[in-house]
């Protein structure tokens, strides 16, 4: 991949992390309407087969001023997020809400999904469980791209909508979203900051993966900068270090401290969102969640279906939360909720393939 240095001392993984032409709202509306004839691959829920449907996008409506950023902060059980002081998450929750949530899918069901990181991310970005998206672990990844991820959906509805991905794990973009792959829709993410975990020169490995926290800080700063300057319509921020501490030390004061740092990083993104929204009269959704809990005995492990591993949480600023939000929503409910905030109507067959339902009206 081409790497450029646009600012001395700062590395961006993509040349496109630069100011570029932004479509005006009227252009966006036009593009959306012109997509009426778009032919899309949609998924037949009943058979799981892929069918071709025309004109499914006829009634989609992109609301240009509605934008969303979701953050996945890795491996923080609900009891930990509720015990440790998280003033920034508290501020966001005061605007919208906080709820306990769930991962792992329906128990003893074909849709049961390991409480493992990549399956969790895939469940969020596709709104489906692993029996559909086909990601059961963190290695040997072979996603089923027939289940469109959020970024592909947004680009299909309106190619002028912009996306961002700020991540401590490059596979999120290159494998899970399948950026650039024809089988995944040949999407391009407009603003990217990732690949730093492989840059041992700039981020040398440290004991207990402390360098990952340094990367998390950098990724967060880049996300905040992109949000405030460019306002991507849909962004994903992924912060990893809390899970590294959990694996190394389990439930510990070090894990609590890592959660406090994570909260400060969330505050950085929230500050950028507020500044952006105020300066451009935009309606921003921020949503923070985790991908799995941890085992009850030590806090070092996860992957099973124990209550603590399955119990997660969601914090959001949305003022349009419906009853579903308070009924222990699951990670697959986030996809339709973000889509609802963005004002995008999902083509019916694709909507039918989703395993969740929106907690945002
Ligand atoms: Zn994880």
């Amino acid at each position: 991949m081409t790497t450029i240095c646009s600012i001395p001392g700062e590395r961006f993984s993509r040349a496109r992390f630069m100011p570029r032409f932004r479509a005006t709202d009227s252009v966006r509306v036009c593009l959306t309407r012109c997509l009426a004839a778009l032919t899309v691959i949609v998924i037949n829920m009943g058979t799981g087969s892929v069918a071709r449907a025309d004109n499914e996008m006829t009634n989609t409506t992109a609301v240009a001023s509605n934008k969303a950023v979701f953050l996945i902060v890795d491996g923080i059980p609900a009891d930990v997020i509720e015990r440790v002081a998280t003033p920034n998450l508290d501020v966001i929750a005061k605007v919208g809400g906080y709820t306990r949530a769930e991962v792992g899918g329906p128990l003893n069901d074909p849709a049961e999904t390991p409480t493992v990181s990549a399956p969790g991310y895939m469940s969020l970005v596709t709104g489906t469980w692993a029996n559909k998206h086909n990601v059961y672990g963190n290695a040997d990844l072979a996603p089923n791209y027939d289940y469109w991820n959020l970024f592909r959906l947004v680009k299909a509805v309106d190619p002028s909508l912009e996306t961002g991905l700020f991540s401590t794990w490059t596979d999120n973009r290159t494998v899970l979203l399948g950026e650039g792959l024809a089988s995944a829709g040949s999407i391009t993410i407009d603003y990217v900051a990732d690949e730093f975990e492989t840059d041992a020169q700039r981020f040398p490995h440290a004991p207990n993966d402390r360098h990952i926290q340094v990367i998390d800080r950098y990724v967060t700063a880049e996300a905040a900068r992109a949000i405030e300057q460019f306002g991507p319509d849909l962004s994903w921020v992924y912060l990893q270090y809390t899970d590294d501490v959990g694996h190394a030390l389990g439930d510990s004061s070090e894990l609590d401290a890592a959660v406090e740092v994570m909260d400060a990083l969330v505050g950085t993104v929230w500050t950028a969102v507020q500044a952006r929204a105020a300066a451009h009269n935009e309606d921003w959704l921020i949503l923070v969640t985790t991908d799995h809990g941890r085992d009850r005995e030590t806090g070092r492990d996860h992957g099973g279906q124990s209550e603590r591993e399955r119990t997660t949480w969601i914090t959001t600023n949305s003022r349009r939360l419906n009853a579903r939000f308070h009924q222990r929503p699951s990670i697959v409910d986030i996809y339709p909720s973000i889509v609802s905030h963005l004002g995008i109507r999902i083509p019916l067959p694709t909507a039918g393939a989703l395993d969740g339902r929106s907690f945002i009206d």
Side-chain angles (χ1 to χ4, degrees):
M1 179 184 301
T2 304
T3 297
I4 65 153
C5 295
S6 56
I7 299 175
E10 298 208 6
R11 180 183 115 160
F12 305 115
S13 62
R14 286 301 170 96
R16 59 180 177 271
F17 195 87
M18 297 286 287
R20 54 190 286 260
F21 171 78
R22 290 183 58 80
T24 65
D25 291 355
S26 58
V27 170
R28 290 180 183 215
V29 170
C30 173
L31 283 170
T32 302
R33 289 176 180 163
C34 291
L35 277 168
L38 179 69
T39 298
V40 292
I41 302 294
V42 293
I43 299 157
N44 181 307
M45 186 189 188
T47 63
S49 65
V50 177
R52 186 169 289 274
D54 297 325
N55 299 323
E56 288 295 337
M57 297 290 188
T58 301
N59 294 320
T60 54
T61 304
V63 179
S65 63
N66 284 22
K67 302 186 179 234
V69 52
F70 66 92
L71 297 87
I72 301 177
V73 293
D74 205 311
I76 304 173
D79 61 275
V80 173
I81 208 72
E82 291 165 6
R83 176 173 49 74
V84 175
T86 53
N88 293 286
L89 284 169
D90 293 348
V91 165
I92 296 170
K94 203 165 185 177
V95 178
Y98 166 88
T99 186
R100 284 199 170 198
E102 186 171 278
V103 297
L107 286 168
N108 305 311
D109 182 279
E112 187 176 298
T113 299
T115 57
V116 172
S117 299
Y121 317 154
M122 270 304 268
S123 291
L124 192 159
V125 299
T126 66
T128 69
W129 298 114
N131 59 323
K132 291 178 183 171
H133 64 61
N134 198 46
V135 172
Y136 287 90
N138 294 330
D140 302 321
L141 301 167
N144 181 352
Y145 295 124
D146 291 342
Y147 297 88
W148 285 24
N149 64 61
L150 276 170
F151 297 82
R152 185 177 185 178
L153 176 72
V154 162
K155 288 291 187 183
V157 168
D158 183 348
S160 77
L161 295 178
E162 294 193 322
T163 55
L165 206 171
F166 313 94
S167 168
T168 312
W169 198 48
T170 309
D171 282 3
N172 285 335
R173 173 173 53 84
T174 57
V175 181
L176 298 188
L177 298 185
E179 186 191 42
L181 301 179
S183 57
S186 303
I187 60 166
T188 298
I189 308 295
D190 298 289
Y191 304 101
V192 174
D194 65 8
E195 281 197 308
F196 306 114
E197 72 274 18
T198 59
D199 187 346
Q201 191 172 2
R202 186 167 172 195
F203 299 98
H205 280 251
N208 290 334
D209 286 331
R210 282 291 293 215
H211 65 291
I212 295 295
Q213 190 175 52
V214 179
I215 295 173
D216 282 350
R217 290 181 188 275
Y218 187 72
V219 163
T220 299
E222 289 302 275
R225 189 166 71 83
I227 286 169
E228 190 164 350
Q229 288 186 19
F230 309 122
D233 299 280
L234 173 68
S235 294
W236 174 6
V237 180
Y238 166 66
L239 305 178
Q240 180 182 309
Y241 183 63
T242 42
D243 190 55
D244 294 321
V245 177
H247 284 298
L249 301 168
D251 291 305
S252 59
S253 58
E254 290 85 354
L255 176 59
D256 292 359
V259 170
E260 290 176 359
V261 171
M262 175 281 298
D263 178 73
L265 299 182
V266 169
T268 299
V269 175
W270 175 231
T271 298
V273 163
Q274 290 175 292
R276 173 77 196 185
H280 296 267
N281 191 29
E282 295 165 348
D283 182 1
W284 276 80
L285 171 72
I286 184 170
L287 186 149
V288 191
T289 191
T290 193
D291 52 344
H292 51 78
R294 315 197 72 80
D295 75 278
R296 186 165 58 88
E297 292 73 21
T298 67
R300 287 176 180 262
D301 301 319
H302 57 86
Q305 298 293 345
S306 71
E307 181 67 11
R308 194 179 187 222
E309 289 166 290
R310 290 175 59 87
T311 305
T312 59
W313 51 272
I314 298 170
T315 294
T316 176
N317 71 328
S318 177
R319 291 188 169 94
R320 293 158 47 196
L321 298 171
N322 61 32
R324 175 67 181 153
F325 188 73
H326 302 289
Q327 297 164 347
R328 194 175 161 113
S330 70
I331 197 165
V332 296
D333 293 330
I334 293 173
Y335 181 118
S337 302
I338 289 174
V339 166
S340 176
H341 176 84
L342 292 176
I344 293 170
R345 186 174 299 171
I346 311 173
L348 263 182
T350 299
L354 297 177
D355 288 324
R357 55 194 174 94
S358 178
F359 49 75
I360 292 176
D361 285 331

